[in-house]
């Protein structure tokens, strides 16, 4: 409850502070999850680990850049209204690359984008969420066009694209950790935001009640 109380006025925070808080919560969790996933995936030989590793490093960078910029903006006392839109451009592109790398139409990672868009909408506002939807559709469209014209090959992360190869222990472990990690992080962020707003509504209701009592 104490943690939720600190974020009670989240809706009234400047954009730079919202982005900074979101990145502070997400970046360490993704860093730990990435290390676990990369380690467990070593037991499987169906991945191009060099490409996969580069993509995972890129994901951390796509979180650190908004984190650093938002902290600078907070320190300078700037609103930073443009900062939330940086997340769909950077992190959204990273997710799209992951969907492409694992196979655009055959990967569980496709569920990551809707989860992340909902987090952006809840924490940063509907406009940012809609921008995320646009970036998602645009990114998938571009990748599909490039694949259809043989500019990009399908699922470059996957050395072995066969279904049977995905029954290996290493692949199951790494995929399971990634899926569970994305789900738990997303769920926790939703709970914190909704709980903060619920507490804020309760405080406002108490204030109105005191005002009504004072007039009587």
């Amino acid at each position: 409850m104490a943690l939720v109380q600190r974020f009670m006025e989240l809706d009234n925070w400047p954009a730079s502070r919202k982005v900074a808080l979101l990145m502070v919560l997400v970046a360490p969790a993704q860093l730990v999850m990435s290390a676990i996933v990369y380690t467990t995936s070593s037991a499987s030989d169906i991945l191009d680990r060099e490409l996969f590793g580069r993509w995972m490093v890129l994901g951390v960078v796509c979180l650190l850049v908004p984190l650093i910029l938002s902290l600078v903006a907070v320190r300078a006392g700037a609103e930073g209204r443009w900062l939330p839109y940086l997340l769909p451009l950077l992190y959204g592109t990273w997710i799209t690359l992951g969907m492409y790398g694992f196979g655009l139409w055959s990967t569980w990672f496709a569920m990551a984008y809707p989860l992340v868009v909902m987090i952006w909408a809840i924490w940063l506002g509907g406009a940012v969420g809609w921008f995320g939807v646009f970036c998602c559709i645009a990114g998938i469209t571009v990748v599909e066009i490039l694949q259809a014209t043989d500019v990009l090959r399908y699922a470059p992360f996957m050395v072995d694209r066969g279904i049977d190869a995905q029954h290996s222990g290493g692949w199951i472990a790494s995929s399971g950790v990634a899926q569970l990690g994305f789900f738990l992080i997303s769920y926790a962020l939703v709970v914190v935001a909704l709980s903060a707003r619920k507490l804020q509504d309760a405080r406002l209701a108490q204030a109105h009640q005191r005002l009504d009592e004072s007039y009587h």
Side-chain angles (χ1 to χ4, degrees):
M1 183 60 70
L3 177 63
V4 173
Q5 288 177 339
R6 293 184 62 183
F7 305 152
M8 189 175 67
E9 301 295 330
L10 180 64
D11 285 342
N12 299 323
W13 285 8
S16 57
R17 192 177 178 190
K18 289 181 183 179
V19 173
L21 174 60
L22 187 58
M23 294 299 96
V24 165
L25 294 175
V26 172
Q30 175 153 331
L31 183 60
V32 172
M33 184 175 68
S34 297
I36 295 173
V37 170
Y38 188 76
T39 301
T40 54
S41 68
S42 63
S44 173
D45 57 359
I46 69 173
L47 281 176
D48 183 328
R49 286 177 55 77
E50 182 179 354
L51 279 179
F52 181 58
R54 290 177 182 176
W55 172 73
M56 299 202 80
V57 170
L58 179 62
V60 175
V61 172
C62 288
L63 291 175
L64 290 179
V65 170
L67 172 60
I68 293 171
L69 292 176
S70 61
L71 289 176
V72 171
V74 169
R75 186 174 179 82
E79 172 70 24
R81 293 181 183 275
W82 56 274
L83 280 167
Y85 296 93
L86 192 62
L87 301 185
L89 290 175
L90 292 180
Y91 198 71
T93 299
W94 177 76
I95 294 177
T96 303
L97 288 174
M99 294 165 61
Y100 156 64
F102 290 113
L104 190 59
W105 306 114
S106 56
T107 175
W108 65 266
F109 194 65
M111 69 88 175
Y113 220 130
L115 283 176
V116 171
V117 167
M118 286 187 286
I119 297 300
W120 291 336
I122 292 172
W123 276 72
L124 305 172
V128 180
W130 280 115
F131 184 62
V133 172
F134 169 78
C135 289
C136 176
I137 295 173
I140 290 174
T141 301
V142 170
V143 169
E144 179 56 30
I145 290 173
L146 293 177
Q147 287 182 155
T149 55
D150 294 326
V151 175
L152 296 177
R153 61 190 178 95
Y154 190 76
F157 291 173
M158 308 296 290
V159 175
D160 188 341
R161 301 183 182 89
I163 295 297
D164 292 337
Q166 297 184 22
H167 289 170
S168 67
W171 177 253
I172 292 173
S174 59
S175 297
V177 169
Q179 291 181 56
L180 184 61
F182 260 100
F183 174 72
L184 291 179
I185 293 170
S186 300
Y187 183 74
L189 291 171
V190 170
V191 168
V192 169
L194 294 182
S195 298
R197 287 169 183 169
K198 184 177 180 180
L199 183 58
Q200 184 181 31
D201 289 341
R203 293 287 178 85
L204 288 173
Q206 290 176 359
H208 284 301
Q209 184 177 1
R210 292 193 189 98
L211 287 173
D212 290 339
E213 292 173 351
S214 66
Y215 284 117
H216 298 83

